[in-house]
Amino acid sequence: MEKIVEQGLLYDFYGELLTKHQQQIYEGIVYDNLSLGEIAQEEGISRQAVHDIVKRCDKILLGYEEKLRLVARFTSIKDKVSQISRLSMMCEQEGLEDRLACSLQIRKLSAEIMREL
């Protein structure tokens, strides 16, 4: 996964657990695409301090993900829902025998999703 996408997902799930100061700086990097220098000037701190805060936030957010696995579950469920969507379109076009196979596949994926919740 691309780093900025991963950072965004981790922040979406766990960002509220950071301090307000950390949130502000991390959002500047991840969402606003600001440079370290721009954030440093805005916050009245050094570029190195911004860099350190971002690295610390990355580590904190990854730690939450290692323990809670919310992003991994979300991604897995999203992939399975996409598969179900594709299968359901295929089922509409297939013959009766193939529809049964599609239906079984959809049920299997649905059961997997339910286990992940």
Side-chain angles (χ1 to χ4, degrees):
M1 189 179 319
E2 188 179 327
K3 181 175 170 108
I4 197 76
V5 173
E6 181 183 20
Q7 286 177 311
L9 274 173
L10 289 170
Y11 185 79
D12 287 345
F13 279 87
Y14 307 113
E16 289 295 316
L17 301 172
L18 299 174
T19 68
K20 292 295 177 199
H21 183 67
Q22 288 171 327
Q23 288 175 18
Q24 191 171 348
I25 289 173
Y26 206 75
E27 286 176 10
I29 293 289
V30 175
Y31 292 139
D32 301 333
N33 199 28
L34 298 175
S35 69
L36 296 176
E38 290 170 320
I39 295 171
Q41 185 176 0
E42 204 173 277
E43 295 293 320
I45 58 178
S46 69
R47 290 179 77 249
Q48 185 62 47
V50 173
H51 178 268
D52 291 345
I53 290 169
V54 171
K55 289 298 176 194
R56 191 173 321 120
C57 289
D58 282 338
K59 187 176 178 179
I60 291 168
L61 296 174
L62 283 169
Y64 287 133
E65 177 59 13
E66 286 173 8
K67 290 178 179 90
L68 301 173
R69 309 289 298 152
L70 296 177
V71 174
R73 275 194 243 148
F74 169 78
T75 303
S76 175
I77 290 170
K78 184 178 168 193
D79 290 343
K80 288 179 176 109
V81 169
S82 292
Q83 290 175 32
I84 288 172
S85 179
R86 283 193 305 275
L87 279 169
S88 67
M89 286 190 289
M90 285 174 39
C91 287
E92 292 172 4
Q93 299 169 359
E94 299 295 329
L96 186 59
E97 293 168 9
D98 291 332
R99 284 186 189 163
L100 180 59
C102 283
S103 178
L104 292 173
Q105 285 270 143
I106 289 172
R107 285 186 200 165
K108 179 184 173 213
L109 289 167
S110 297
E112 289 175 14
I113 290 171
M114 293 305 293
R115 280 194 299 273
E116 289 186 46
L117 296 177

